[in-house]
């Protein structure tokens, strides 16, 4: 039952990601991206990362997707019948669709091969973690663990993230301000 | 562990997401879609963090850095969209290949 749910989520995630990548309609692509992120949050739950899953839904689905919709609506006058003039233009990376597909397929095959060769299920530190009962069993209170670790072991990255967020807040407000008032 | 699901299957999903993101970054002609491709790649990395993090509940490094990754991605998107809107005001397009000068 759990496995079935996991594989359904996995299939939806991968298929919707592929649709996002090839879809011509920008608004539809963003809404399908929403589905990808939602199913990905479900997959995080299967890895016992409840808190990360909720954070994903709040930050990505609640924030980033809405921001992207704003970006598309403010920067595209013909939202529904947008221009398709694919000819006679240089691309950012001067690769056509076939070349890009071949490149990503090569990366995909290489990574899959690497994962099979690495034999991750038999890594030493994973076996040690299993034998010393350090793995999640599903009965832990992961938000509590994360809270304690944030204030002890990972305090420096936490503070760095807060300074970074302040810098981003100032930078984004500065970039988006109205120029030449009056 | 992991509800009986092999660890490799999480990594396969993350590989597929990464390659979708790479394809989007290489082919899309709209800066917002390139940004979505980058987000897909970041999510693939976060999925790897989370799936390996399930084996370490004492220090919990995987989940912690997954959260830091989400924070960095969200902040990056905010700045990138501000830049995209500025570029649109200036060039009247957000096709990355049409933007060929940095003078304001």
């Amino acid at each position: 039952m759990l496995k079935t749910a996991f594989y359904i989520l996995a299939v939806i995630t991968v298929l919707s990601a592929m649709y996002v990548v090839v879809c011509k309609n920008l608004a539809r692509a963003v809404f399908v991206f929403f589905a990808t992120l939602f199913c990905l949050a479900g997959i995080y739950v299967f890895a016992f990362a409840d808190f990360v899953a909720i954070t994903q839904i709040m930050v990505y689905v609640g924030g980033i997707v809405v921001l992207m919709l704003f970006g598309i609506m403010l920067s595209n006058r013909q939202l529904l019948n947008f221009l398709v003039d694919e000819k006679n233009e240089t691309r950012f990376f001067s690769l056509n669709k076939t070349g890009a597909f071949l490149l990503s397929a090569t990366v995909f095959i290489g990574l899959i091969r690497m994962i099979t060769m690495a034999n991750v299920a038999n890594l030493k530190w994973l076996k040690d973690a299993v034998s010393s009962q350090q793995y999640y069993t599903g009965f832990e209170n992961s938000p509590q663990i994360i809270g304690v670790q944030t204030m002890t072991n990972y305090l420096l990255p936490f503070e760095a993230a807060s300074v970074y967020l302040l810098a981003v807040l100032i930078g984004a407000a500065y970039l988006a301000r109205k120029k030449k008032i009056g | 562990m992991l509800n009986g699901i092999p660890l490799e299957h999480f990594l396969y999903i993350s590989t597929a997401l990464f390659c979708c993101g790479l394809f989007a970054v290489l082919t899309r002609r709209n800066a917002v879609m390139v940004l979505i491709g980058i987000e897909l790649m970041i999510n693939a990395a976060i999925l790897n963090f989370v799936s390996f993090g399930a084996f370490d509940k004492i220090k919990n490094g995987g989940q912690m850095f997954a959260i830091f990754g989400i924070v960095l991605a969200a902040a990056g998107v905010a700045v990138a969209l501000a830049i995209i809107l500025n570029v649109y005001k200036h060039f009247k397009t957000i096709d990355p290949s049409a933007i060929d000068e940095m003078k304001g």
Side-chain angles (χ1 to χ4, degrees):
Chain A
M1 183 60 207
L2 274 176
K3 280 191 176 183
T4 328
F6 174 78
Y7 289 112
I8 290 171
L9 281 175
V11 167
I12 296 176
T13 308
V14 174
L15 287 183
S16 60
M18 285 175 181
Y19 186 75
V20 168
V21 166
V22 297
C23 181
K24 287 272 176 201
N25 189 325
L26 293 175
R28 189 178 292 160
V30 173
F31 281 112
V32 177
F33 184 58
F34 178 93
T36 311
L37 293 173
F38 221 89
C39 294
L40 206 55
I43 290 176
Y44 294 165
V45 173
F46 276 88
F48 303 111
D50 323 355
F51 188 73
V52 180
I54 298 297
T55 315
Q56 163 101 351
I57 290 176
M58 287 203 309
V59 173
Y60 268 99
V61 179
I64 290 181
V65 170
V66 175
L67 264 182
M68 283 180 169
L69 277 178
F70 266 114
I72 282 178
M73 286 173 183
L74 290 175
S75 67
N76 197 351
R77 288 199 183 125
Q78 295 93 4
L79 182 62
L80 296 174
N81 51 347
F82 60 99
L83 295 172
V84 186
D85 46 353
E86 298 242 319
K87 287 164 199 153
N88 302 328
E89 274 193 68
T90 55
R91 284 196 166 76
F92 192 33
F93 283 107
S94 70
L95 265 177
N96 57 8
K97 286 235 160 62
T98 331
F101 178 76
L102 284 179
L103 182 59
S104 18
T106 316
V107 172
F108 182 73
I109 293 168
L111 283 174
I112 292 283
R113 180 101 182 96
M114 205 170 79
I115 291 167
T116 32
M117 277 170 71
N119 200 4
V120 278
N122 294 320
L123 286 178
K124 187 174 176 299
W125 72 272
L126 290 187
K127 294 210 151 172
D128 290 349
V130 171
S131 60
S132 59
Q133 301 286 316
Q134 282 191 15
Y135 62 94
Y136 275 90
T137 51
F139 295 100
E140 293 83 6
N141 188 357
S142 75
Q144 189 201 8
I145 301 175
I146 286 175
V148 171
Q149 291 294 336
T150 309
M151 282 295 132
T152 54
N153 275 322
Y154 302 106
L155 190 57
L156 180 65
F158 182 67
E159 295 294 335
S162 72
V163 175
Y164 177 74
L165 282 177
L166 179 65
V168 165
L169 180 68
I170 296 171
Y174 174 77
L175 282 172
R177 79 197 189 284
K178 267 206 167 58
K179 277 132 199 154
K180 291 181 221 138
I181 301 167
Chain B
M1 316 129 265
L2 290 175
N3 292 317
I5 299 152
L7 179 59
E8 285 94 339
H9 292 187
F10 286 91
L11 304 185
Y12 292 154
I13 297 169
S14 123
T15 312
L17 284 179
F18 183 86
C19 292
C20 287
L22 183 64
F23 185 79
V25 170
L26 290 175
T27 59
R28 295 315 289 251
R29 320 171 49 81
N30 185 309
V32 177
M33 291 306 292
V34 173
L35 202 58
I36 285 184
I38 294 171
E39 291 303 310
L40 278 175
M41 288 156 96
I42 291 175
N43 267 295
I46 292 172
L47 179 55
N48 266 7
F49 269 135
V50 160
S51 51
F52 280 106
F55 288 91
D56 183 15
K57 73 174 171 191
I58 311 293
K59 290 198 84 167
N60 217 358
Q63 296 189 11
M64 290 301 305
F65 279 93
I67 289 172
F68 287 128
I70 290 175
V71 169
L72 296 189
V77 166
V79 174
L81 282 171
I83 292 174
I84 287 173
L85 291 184
N86 268 356
V87 164
Y88 179 71
K89 250 188 262 168
H90 192 257
F91 289 98
K92 299 287 172 240
T93 177
I94 52 172
D95 183 352
S97 62
I99 300 157
D100 45 10
E101 62 173 19
M102 290 185 77
K103 216 163 64 177

